[in-house]
Amino acid sequence: MQDLQPIPVAPSGATPAPTGQKLHAQAVQLEAAFLSEMLKCAQVGRPMESFGGGIGEEQFASFLRDAYSEKMAEKGGIGLAESIFHALTRGQGNV
């Protein structure tokens, strides 16, 4: 039999601090989710009355909104991601 080695586990509640790049990426994802909801309220992707694509178009409209919002957030969006990122780094003491 082989000797079993214990797997090192971090103490409960201790999580490594995310890097700046990871925090910024998460802030951009959050802005994209917010923008997607705003586009939904603005009825972007809503099927047209005439020449509509039927139920399939209605079901896939959310994918179109999500793609739009992700691209908007990647290009700077409305500046929400930057505000979130700065708030998160300030909370870590990394001003």
Side-chain angles (χ1 to χ4, degrees):
M1 278 194 136
Q2 295 178 345
D3 291 331
L4 297 176
Q5 299 295 323
I7 299 172
V9 177
S12 64
T15 56
T19 64
Q21 287 180 338
K22 188 174 180 180
L23 277 177
H24 191 268
Q26 290 171 343
V28 170
Q29 287 178 347
L30 183 59
E31 180 175 3
F34 174 77
L35 289 172
S36 181
E37 286 300 311
M38 293 300 103
L39 292 175
K40 181 179 178 182
C41 291
Q43 298 181 350
V44 171
R46 186 176 132 234
M48 296 172 43
E49 298 299 324
S50 59
F51 303 108
I55 192 140
E57 185 175 358
E58 290 176 22
Q59 291 176 340
F60 286 98
S62 65
F63 292 113
L64 178 63
R65 281 191 304 270
D66 289 345
Y68 283 159
S69 64
E70 287 173 10
K71 289 298 178 188
M72 289 169 64
E74 287 173 6
K75 298 292 182 184
I78 58 174
L80 185 61
E82 288 301 315
S83 296
I84 293 170
F85 175 72
H86 290 302
L88 291 173
T89 54
R90 227 185 350 253
Q92 290 184 343
N94 298 335
V95 181

